[in-house]
Amino acid sequence: MVRFELCPGRRVGGDQPCFIIAEIGQNHQGDLDIAKRMIRMVKDCGADCAKFQKSELEYKFNKKALERPYTSKHSWGKTYGEHKRHLEFSHDQYRELKKYAEEIGIFFTASGMDEMAVEFLHELDVPFFKVGSGDTNNFPYLQKTAKKGRPMVISSGMQSMSTMHQVYQIVKPINPNFCFLQCTSAYPLQPEDVNLRVISAYQSAFPDIPIGYSGHETGIAISVAAVAMGAKVLERHVTLDKTWKGSDHQASLEPNELAELVKAIRTVEKAMGSPIKQLLPCEMACNEKLGKSVVAKVAIPEGAVLTLDMLTVKVGEPKGFPPECIFDLVGQKVKRTIEEDETITEQAVENHVKKVKC
């Protein structure tokens, strides 16, 4: 059974419940109080982990990228650099957020969006590293992150299966505790671009690691389906208000949706149940009331050998042979006269234990 400890005391994979990551990202608008409100919200909704995105901007972007004008309606500054600086928390603010998460009892981590951010998160002692899709094919980054020895959750947006095989071959010898998330990098994501079947493809290609799903679609149905398909880690973006400024809010879940998603996942996990098909205790009342028996279609004299045209199936009182025994009864001798419409019981058939398999 493929599983490992993702956070202290919380394993993922195998028969463990799906680990639900609420991706706050930068939907906090650069406001520490909003960030804390969001951590409390995801805890109250039942998520397992509150996640942010940490960048050391000069390491993530080159100078020209930071200096380019950013005139979008979502912009927090005249240049992309000003915009990103507005949304970026300091190291001390991250320490404060992690402390707050620990106080209220929810796991806290972040995607390290560059190698220096990973260094800081390692120092911050996050339980696991999240690798965003944009760094999944950044092999030097993957090697350095894997060598830190912390579990890794690796998204796969914008990647090919060939690249994911390379990622596996790079990470696995260094750090066996990682999982892949099927992901499509579009915001919001249209259902026809989700490709949930990739979850099954990953399960076949990488049978010794857990597989999960990171979704940017609207609503909860697709994410619930991913869990039913075996996703062991689920990540969804969250917001306090979808109408807020910022490109991620539209593809995020509001508190009522997140709570509904968690509840739906836990219900589906119970419903997955067992692959063994059998009559269950909860079905006994229905079986007693509506379960059918083999009944005499005509009067059958003592000593007669049963033929199929003597028998029919009805809801009978008392219960007799179940319908699946009707072919086995053919050729058996009856020990007493059976009235028309009477249930065929074991006591009325000779050697029923030996000859009637039912």
Side-chain angles (χ1 to χ4, degrees):
M1 199 170 282
V2 184
R3 58 186 180 199
F4 63 87
E5 191 172 74
L6 185 62
C7 295
R10 181 63 162 86
R11 298 173 77 78
V12 294
D15 56 359
Q16 299 297 302
C18 180
F19 186 87
I20 301 170
I21 300 170
E23 162 72 304
I24 294 168
Q26 296 192 319
N27 282 353
H28 48 68
Q29 314 299 80
D31 185 315
L32 196 68
D33 288 333
I34 290 176
K36 286 182 178 177
R37 278 170 56 201
M38 293 185 79
I39 294 171
R40 165 59 74 179
M41 178 272 285
V42 301
K43 160 73 174 172
D44 290 345
C45 289
D48 294 293
C49 180
K51 189 179 87 64
F52 289 77
Q53 293 174 5
K54 182 72 188 102
S55 300
E56 303 294 346
L57 296 178
E58 283 69 27
Y59 289 91
K60 183 180 178 185
F61 301 98
N62 71 9
K63 283 183 182 176
K64 284 192 175 177
L66 290 172
E67 289 167 0
R68 72 178 165 86
Y70 192 50
T71 54
S72 160
K73 64 180 179 179
H74 299 305
S75 174
W76 294 95
K78 290 178 184 174
T79 65
Y80 197 64
E82 285 179 16
H83 165 76
K84 294 303 284 186
R85 282 184 196 97
H86 173 83
L87 293 170
E88 197 62 49
F89 288 138
S90 69
H91 288 192
D92 283 343
Q93 287 174 314
Y94 260 88
R95 290 185 186 99
E96 189 175 336
L97 291 173
K98 182 169 184 281
K99 184 168 178 281
Y100 178 73
E102 286 168 353
E103 284 169 359
I104 68 169
I106 188 168
F107 294 118
F108 174 96
T109 195
S111 300
M113 309 300 275
D114 55 80
E115 289 178 17
M116 290 308 292
V118 171
E119 291 294 334
F120 167 65
L121 293 171
H122 187 53
E123 175 203 317
L124 190 64
D125 198 26
V126 295
F128 67 93
F129 292 126
K130 171 70 202 300
V131 178
S133 294
D135 280 305
T136 297
N137 59 350
N138 181 350
F139 296 159
Y141 167 103
L142 283 181
Q143 284 181 324
K144 288 177 184 174
T145 304
K147 284 175 182 173
K148 299 290 184 193
R150 297 181 189 276
M152 298 166 69
V153 174
I154 303 172
S155 277
S156 61
M158 305 178 286
Q159 310 304 328
S160 66
M161 183 61 99
S162 170
T163 300
M164 295 313 294
H165 276 285
Q166 288 178 273
V167 171
Y168 177 90
Q169 286 155 11
I170 287 167
V171 175
K172 185 71 175 178
I174 305 170
N175 184 347
N177 296 328
F178 69 101
C179 61
F180 286 164
L181 307 186
Q182 159 58 356
C183 177
T184 303
S185 298
Y187 305 80
L189 173 60
Q190 298 305 306
E192 57 269 27
D193 294 321
V194 171
N195 294 328
L196 285 179
R197 285 194 174 96
V198 174
I199 293 173
S200 303
Y202 282 169
Q203 288 165 339
S204 297
F206 311 109
D208 56 349
I209 62 170
I211 302 300
Y213 175 69
S214 177
H216 305 125
E217 72 277 3
T218 55
I220 70 168
I222 289 167
S223 291
V224 174
V227 174
M229 290 181 70
K232 298 303 180 182
V233 175
L234 178 80
E235 179 185 60
R236 288 296 303 270
H237 287 246
V238 297
T239 181
L240 293 178
D241 188 336
K242 287 185 192 186
T243 65
W244 279 358
K245 185 162 91 173
S247 55
D248 279 0
H249 292 286
Q250 199 184 346
S252 300
L253 299 174
E254 288 182 341
N256 61 320
E257 294 176 297
L258 177 60
E260 190 183 350
L261 173 64
V262 174
K263 185 179 176 186
I265 286 171
R266 300 307 177 215
T267 300
V268 163
E269 286 175 332
K270 285 182 193 169
M272 294 304 289
S274 164
I276 298 164
K277 184 60 184 168
Q278 59 187 338
L279 179 65
L280 297 174
C282 67
E283 296 178 298
M284 293 305 292
C286 187
N287 191 51
E288 282 300 312
K289 183 178 177 185
L290 299 175
K292 294 186 175 182
S293 299
V294 180
V295 169
K297 195 173 185 179
V298 294
I300 304 169
E302 180 183 343
V305 174
L306 292 172
T307 58
L308 195 57
D309 58 7
M310 295 177 180
L311 306 173
T312 190
V313 172
K314 291 185 178 183
V315 176
E317 184 61 43
K319 293 280 178 210
F321 285 100
E324 65 263 30
C325 293
I326 193 165
F327 295 146
D328 293 315
L329 285 167
V330 172
Q332 303 298 314
K333 190 182 282 189
V334 299
K335 292 193 284 188
R336 63 168 178 81
T337 299
I338 301 171
E339 301 297 327
E340 180 185 344
D341 208 40
E342 186 184 339
T343 303
I344 311 285
T345 62
E346 292 184 1
Q347 293 73 25
V349 179
E350 275 189 7
N351 303 322
H352 64 85
V353 176
K354 291 177 188 170
K355 291 186 180 175
V356 180
K357 292 167 191 167
C358 292

